[in-house]
């Protein structure tokens, strides 16, 4: 199921896909794809974890309207405002 969570530090609403849940308690596996990688790219891994009894949450950190991340030198300093 698709859900969303608000990041209180930035006010951004981030989409989360949750698969494999039911009423029973289960361990949680969190998949956090890299920059510009949609969570759907990890569908096979998510389904494999669900078959093994996990609930899987896939987080989409970057949104379509986000500007590209800076590249080049001093990445930590230049990307900090985006985090």
């Amino acid at each position: 199921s698709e859900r969303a969570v608000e990041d209180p530090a930035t006010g951004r609403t981030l989409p989360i896909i949750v698969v494999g849940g039911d009423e029973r308690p289960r361990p949680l596996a969190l998949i956090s794809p890299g920059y510009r990688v949609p969570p759907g790219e990890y569908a096979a891994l998510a389904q494999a974890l669900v078959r093994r009894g996990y609930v899987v949450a896939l987080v989409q950190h970057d949104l379509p309207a986000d500007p590209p991340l800076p590249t080049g030198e001093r990445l930590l300093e230049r990307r900090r405002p985006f985090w």
Side-chain angles (χ1 to χ4, degrees):
S1 68
E2 292 193 26
R3 302 174 189 202
V5 64
E6 184 173 333
D7 179 351
T10 63
R12 293 168 38 110
T13 300
L14 302 173
I16 297 176
I17 299 170
V18 179
V19 293
D22 59 22
E23 298 302 316
R24 296 178 291 158
R26 294 173 178 256
L28 173 67
L30 176 64
I31 298 177
S32 180
Y35 178 65
R36 298 284 183 215
V37 177
E41 294 292 319
Y42 289 89
L45 174 60
Q47 289 302 320
L49 289 166
V50 167
R51 285 191 300 273
R52 286 167 178 78
Y54 287 83
V55 172
V56 181
L58 299 108
V59 181
Q60 179 68 44
H61 295 283
D62 55 320
L63 304 174
D66 288 349
L69 287 177
T71 60
E73 297 179 16
R74 302 183 348 264
L75 285 180
L76 290 177
E77 177 183 327
R78 294 178 66 210
R79 289 186 178 182
R80 186 174 308 274
F82 293 86
W83 298 330

